[in-house]
Amino acid sequence: MEVVKFQQAQLINTDLDMYYAKTDTPALCRTSSLVEELGQIDYVFSDKTGTLTRNEMEFQCCSIAGIAYAAEVDEARREEGEDREARRTFDEMRAVLERDNPFVDSSHPKIVGTPKEREIIREFLTLLAVCHTVIPEIKNEKMVYQASSPDEAALVAGAERLGFRFTVRASQSHSFPCLSRPA
């Protein structure tokens, strides 16, 4: 029976109708029980997400302990809030994280950050970097994340952008260097 399941998985992997030429992505069956699981589907629900966006997700903003961090912060929006510090850029987040690192020149005068704030940000980014089912692969000397959904890949890529790069998934452990410089 396992031989038949394996053959069915190979048929899915080599099916040219399941090849997506734009991204050079063939079908990839990672489990021999996929055909059995597909046979158990009664209903397929779709909210049509991805129709206009092609399911391309990008990490743009996050909120940690009441402070919004984003790639870019419009100064007018920063002034809107009651607390001027409620909106910061990702660069300002990195400055808070690197403040206690003696090997990094953290000459960002207006961002100080408390040790508690650094701890909360580190915990958030650590969880973002490791709590997922993403499989990292290196293609053309660049890290590519294989994920079950585009949003999961975007979150892991966002953690990488902020210095928490997920590099290896093993059966018993994960590996990621903290505060690595973005590529």
Side-chain angles (χ1 to χ4, degrees), residues 32 107 139 168:
S32 62
S107 56
K139 289 186 179 178
V168 177

Side-chain angles (χ1 to χ4, degrees), residues 59-169:
F59 187 77
Q60 293 291 322
C61 182
C62 64
S63 178
I64 306 171
I67 299 174
Y69 296 94
E72 296 177 12
V73 176
D74 183 19
E75 289 302 320
R77 288 197 68 192
R78 195 185 289 238
E79 296 293 333
E80 285 175 10
E82 297 170 12
D83 184 9
R84 187 169 159 68
E85 292 292 310
R87 297 180 189 276
R88 294 181 181 166
T89 65
F90 288 153
D91 289 337
E92 291 170 332
M93 177 195 292
R94 288 186 74 94
V96 168
L97 287 171
E98 294 171 345
R99 184 56 112 194
D100 61 350
N101 186 346
F103 302 106
V104 176
D105 176 27
S106 56
S107 56
H108 220 295
K110 63 181 183 175
I111 302 298
V112 177
T114 65
K116 180 70 174 167
E117 184 179 356
R118 281 191 287 280
E119 178 185 338
I120 291 170
I121 293 171
R122 276 198 183 98
E123 182 176 358
F124 176 87
L125 293 174
T126 299
L127 293 173
L128 199 63
V130 298
C131 294
H132 52 74
T133 59
V134 171
I135 298 172
E137 296 178 355
I138 297 178
K139 289 186 179 178
N140 300 328
E141 297 184 24
K142 185 178 179 189
M143 185 66 72
V144 177
Y145 298 111
Q146 297 296 325
S148 60
S149 66
D151 53 340
E152 191 174 43
L155 292 173
V156 176
E160 177 183 10
R161 179 179 180 187
L162 296 170
F164 287 68
R165 184 178 190 189
F166 180 67
T167 56
V168 177
R169 174 179 295 280

Side-chain angles (χ1 to χ4, degrees), residues 25-49:
T25 307
L28 181 58
C29 183
R30 294 189 173 150
T31 176
S32 62
S33 63
L34 179 66
V35 176
E36 288 175 347
E37 292 171 11
L38 287 174
Q40 296 175 6
I41 295 173
D42 290 327
Y43 302 98
V44 175
F45 294 98
S46 174
D47 62 353
K48 298 292 183 184
T49 57

